[in-house]
Amino acid sequence: MSNFYLNRRALLGLALTSALPVGSVWAAGQPLPVVASFSILQDLTRQVGGDLVSVSPLVGPDGDAHVFEPTPQQARQLQQAKVLVSNGLDFESWMPRLKKAAGFKGQEIVASQGIAVRALPKGQGHDHGHDHGADKAGHDHDHDHDHGHGHNHGPNDPHAWQDVKNAIIYVRNIAKGLATADPANAAQYDKQATQYIARLTALDASLRQRFAAVPAARRTVVSTHDAFGYFAQAYGLRFVPVRGLSTESEPSARDMAALVKQVREERIGAIFLENISDPRLLEQLSRETGAAIGGRLYSDALSPAGGPASTYIDMVEANAATLLKALQAG
Ligand SMILES: [Zn+2]
């Protein structure tokens, strides 16, 4: 029996036996209890909420939300929360099951609401046998790529936070949702969001300026999974992912051979590892092609506190610095 079924049974058990009344734990004057699906949303929510909120992530620093399996303890945590912040776009495919198990009745904020969803270019990095994207856009995506984790991915690219302009939309949605859940502090959420958005706007402008200086011939890089589509679109780079949209799929020997050929033919200079993924595939690709490992990018999770990417802004700055250093070196 797989972990999925064990966890599912545990979650269902929790839902049946728990006697905790929903919403009973938030006393006036206490920070608003918020659960964020992953570490990047935890930071965005903290930036908007400040001391008025207490935000716990379900998937923590360096964690991989694509293959996450919630525990009964996390269902209990969600049950006690007043607000849930999720990404949406099918990123958290395990969320409906968790919400049901927790009997969550609080305010839900889907942070990506209103962004321009990235259309998946057909055949670009998604033509593996086990991909989750382009070929299935608009079609049934429920039958052939469930790899035992009990979830599937839709046709949308969920990694919208990698474009700083989208993060600004996330922040607006979070501020609005927090104000709805805690109307007494609405003005403070609005003020903190406005201040944070000013920093994000400056960051976005700075990225545009710095990446514009990279020569066109040096703008293609290899990464582990297809997490940087929005980043590439916003800042004029091209990422070739070894895996598809999710970290679940493994490239076949044929995929790898095609990739080796592509890296050589297009003279792709740099390969980037990820904080949430096993580096071995890309180390192999580097050995076979002579393309340098350009460093480690933060894709779907922050670093732990004290690391180089423990906030969203630090994460974007760290990724930009790693990319620019490698792209300008050649
Ligand atoms: Zn991802």
Side-chain angles (χ1 to χ4, degrees), residues 289-326:
T289 60
I293 299 283
R296 186 176 294 262
L297 300 177
Y298 295 89
S299 52
D300 296 13
L302 301 177
S303 69
S310 62
T311 67
Y312 173 78
I313 287 182
D314 285 352
M315 176 193 85
V316 175
E317 287 283 13
N319 285 347
T322 300
L323 284 162
L324 288 165
K325 191 175 168 210

Side-chain angles (χ1 to χ4, degrees), residues 64 66 91 158-159 161 225-227 245-247 274 276 299-300:
D64 183 353
H66 290 291
F91 183 58
H159 306 90
W161 60 85
H225 85 293
D226 196 1
L245 268 187
S246 170
T247 52
E274 276 180 5
I276 64 162
S299 52
D300 296 13

Side-chain angles (χ1 to χ4, degrees), residues 54-95:
S54 166
V55 195
S56 332
L58 294 169
V59 182
D62 286 339
D64 183 353
H66 290 291
V67 293
F68 175 64
E69 293 183 351
T71 64
Q73 194 191 351
Q74 288 172 315
R76 198 170 295 117
Q77 195 183 358
L78 180 57
Q79 186 178 47
Q80 295 176 10
K82 293 293 284 183
V83 178
L84 167 64
V85 187
S86 66
N87 183 71
L89 303 173
D90 293 332
F91 183 58
E92 305 97 340
S93 49
W94 35 267
M95 189 63 89

Side-chain angles (χ1 to χ4, degrees), residues 136-164:
K136 281 133 189 149
H139 303 297
D140 173 34
H141 52 270
D142 220 357
H143 58 285
D144 66 345
H145 48 115
D146 180 337
H147 301 292
H149 297 287
H151 59 270
N152 300 290
H153 295 267
N156 297 324
D157 181 352
H159 306 90
W161 60 85
Q162 290 292 355
D163 177 345
V164 178

